[in-house]
Amino acid sequence: MYIHFPWCARKCPYCDFATEPLRVGELPHEAYTDALLRELDARADDLPGRTLKSIFFGGGTPSLWKPAELGRALSAIRAAFDVEVERLEVTVECNPSSLTRKNAALLREAGVDRLSIGVQSLRDSHLDFLGRLHDADRAITALRDAVAEMPRVSADLMFGMPGQSEAELSKDIARVADTGVRHVSAYALTIEEKTMFGSLHRAGKLRVAPEEQYASMFELVETRFAELGWIHYEVSNYAAKGEESRHNLHYWRGGAYLGLGAAAVGCLDRGPGSAERWRNDPNPRRYLSETTLVTETEMLGPEEIIRESLMLGLRTIEGTCLADTAERAGKNPVQGREQEIETALGRGDLVSDGQRLRVPQSRWLKLDGIVRDLF
Ligand code: SF4
């Protein structure tokens, strides 16, 4: 279950997520929970026979939401399912500027067991460049408070900011790990077209790091986490053993999910070889005022299911399970691309044990091209 909270205190200039800036005093805390519960009700027919495995509150900045209201949504979701797994994972994305120790404790009381904190960098000049509301000290305090109150904490880090040195990035990783955090998502800064950075870049007013710098920083991040004994379990994700995000693993394994909230996306299997994906209206005001507002619906057939299964599964250390994919797609995923797979195996871009296809970690920098060559 994915819940989207569509507001932030300020829009970051590189961000193309479906989120709008809103003054904290104007957030419709109760009304948003009410709207989510209306949507949950409207989707009641989709729930029987499904097991609730994880809940992820993303955004936007769900740490701006009153914990009591987030908790009300959480309880209603749990009550709506007949079955849930024994260790339900409940994650909330947070920004250091809106996470206090008290809030973390209230979220824990509400049933949250994992926080994912948007640190991005521990150098104030990079945080200024990224338009973030926190500084490095605030980020470290938020991480320590989160670790003190929550069983599981993750941090987001970014690399490839202009002028960022490898020594700075190494230090960021060491300082984040030192707080007791056991999971990190490390992303390269990318310039998205419909953002302020996109406009500045088009106008020639934004310097970006050269391609080779991204590659060497990616390798540096991998080396630093390997030294800590963490697992590089997905292209952008690192975890101490057992600390992998179960919610994200479920996506990468092609699992079904429901999305609630403005701009939320859901995708449910509709029998072998068929799945339905939809996206809610991204406009929060319209979402608040109507029942369920789906703006886009797409039916996926066997080929689309196979394509996504390879695209997502090959991003992970475990790779794509051929039997699972065949079951979901109603078709053997190898059929029709024997030659492409053979060529990739011959080049060492893919490895197979007969059950799974994997891209070796040493080739992850070339992942996009390797996957493209399979289609
Ligand atoms: S806080 Fe996160 S979701 Fe909000 S604008 Fe910044 S990057 Fe985007």
Side-chain angles (χ1 to χ4, degrees):
M1 176 71 81
Y2 173 77
I3 315 297
H4 191 74
F5 186 81
W7 296 285
C8 292
R10 181 159 85 191
K11 183 84 183 178
C12 302
Y14 59 88
C15 174
D16 74 341
F17 294 159
T19 164
E20 292 185 0
L22 193 65
R23 270 207 293 273
V24 175
E26 290 171 12
L27 285 171
H29 298 271
E30 291 81 6
Y32 197 60
T33 308
D34 291 343
L36 285 171
L37 300 194
R38 269 204 310 270
E39 188 187 358
L40 182 64
D41 242 11
R43 297 203 183 280
D45 289 348
D46 279 323
L47 306 187
R50 296 193 184 271
T51 302
L52 181 61
K53 292 182 167 174
S54 60
I55 306 177
F56 193 100
F57 291 88
T61 310
S63 50
L64 293 172
W65 203 357
K66 280 183 193 156
E69 286 303 312
L70 185 149
R72 188 157 68 92
L74 172 54
S75 305
I77 291 163
R78 294 182 73 166
F81 281 81
D82 300 331
V83 191
E84 73 175 37
V85 290
E86 207 175 297
R87 285 168 59 225
L88 184 74
E89 179 183 274
V90 183
T91 305
V92 176
E93 277 185 341
C94 303
N95 272 338
S97 51
S98 52
L99 182 71
T100 59
R101 179 143 183 189
K102 185 165 167 236
N103 261 27
L106 290 171
L107 288 170
R108 179 71 188 127
E109 267 170 42
V112 174
D113 72 339
R114 187 171 180 273
L115 296 182
S116 172
I117 304 177
V119 170
Q120 316 311 353
S121 171
L122 291 175
R123 183 148 291 235
D124 290 347
S125 58
H126 298 318
L127 291 167
D128 280 348
F129 168 76
L130 294 171
R132 305 293 304 202
L133 287 168
H134 61 274
D135 59 16
D137 287 347
R138 178 69 222 134
I140 290 287
T141 305
L143 289 174
R144 292 198 192 287
D145 286 348
V147 167
E149 297 294 341
M150 280 285 160
R152 303 172 69 205
V153 180
S154 174
D156 283 356
L157 282 178
M158 213 175 247
F159 59 89
M161 281 80 82
Q164 185 187 27
S165 71
E166 297 202 348
E168 283 167 8
L169 182 56
S170 273
K171 203 166 162 202
D172 281 3
I173 292 170
R175 289 182 73 197
V176 164
D178 193 47
T179 61
V181 163
R182 313 256 290 151
H183 184 285
V184 166
S185 303
Y187 299 100
L189 171 66
T190 49
I191 305 298
E192 306 294 342
E193 215 176 297
K194 291 182 186 152
T195 61
M196 190 198 286
F197 273 6
S199 315
L200 290 171
H201 191 237
R202 275 194 302 283
K205 291 182 181 156
L206 185 73
R207 211 157 46 88
V208 291
E211 200 64 26
E212 317 79 64
Q213 191 178 329
Y214 283 109
S216 72
M217 287 198 161
F218 180 87
E219 281 164 357
L220 173 93
V221 174
E222 187 170 62
T223 307
R224 289 291 164 267
F225 283 113
E227 286 164 2
L228 290 168
W230 289 23
I231 305 157
H232 189 182
Y233 73 105
E234 192 264 353
V235 177
S236 304
N237 284 277
Y238 301 82
K241 197 167 183 309
E243 290 298 317
E244 296 88 346
S245 156
R246 298 198 284 274
H247 184 82
N248 285 337
L249 277 174
H250 181 75
Y251 284 143
W252 296 319
R253 288 172 180 157
Y257 55 93
L258 269 169
L260 296 182
V265 175
C267 188
L268 293 180
D269 46 296
R270 298 294 188 202
S274 174
E276 181 185 355
R277 179 160 52 209
W278 69 89
R279 183 170 195 248
N280 285 347
D281 192 318
N283 183 311
R285 282 165 302 285
R286 283 201 296 266
Y287 180 82
L288 280 169
S289 61
E290 314 259 342
T291 321
T292 305
L293 259 180
V294 174
T295 46
E296 293 163 34
T297 307
E298 184 189 2
M299 290 308 293
L300 308 183
E303 265 310 305
E304 285 100 351
I305 293 172
I306 291 171
R307 179 183 284 263
E308 296 205 350
S309 180
L310 289 170
M311 276 169 48
L312 295 171
L314 293 178
R315 297 179 60 83
T316 65
I317 194 169
E318 66 183 23
T320 297
C321 175
L322 297 173
D324 279 357
T325 307
E327 195 182 323
R328 281 184 288 111
K331 185 182 163 192
N332 178 356
V334 175
Q335 197 187 324
R337 56 180 59 82
E338 293 87 346
Q339 191 55 52
E340 289 82 353
I341 290 176
E342 211 46 54
T343 308
L345 288 169
R347 281 201 295 252
D349 286 344
L350 276 184
V351 287
S352 172
D353 60 2
Q355 320 280 315
R356 293 179 170 277
L357 281 180
R358 277 192 311 109
V359 173
Q361 263 168 284
S362 56
R363 305 277 166 109
W364 277 4
L365 267 171
K366 298 196 320 184
L367 185 74
D368 290 347
I370 293 170
V371 174
R372 231 184 352 257
D373 286 350
L374 297 178
F375 299 103

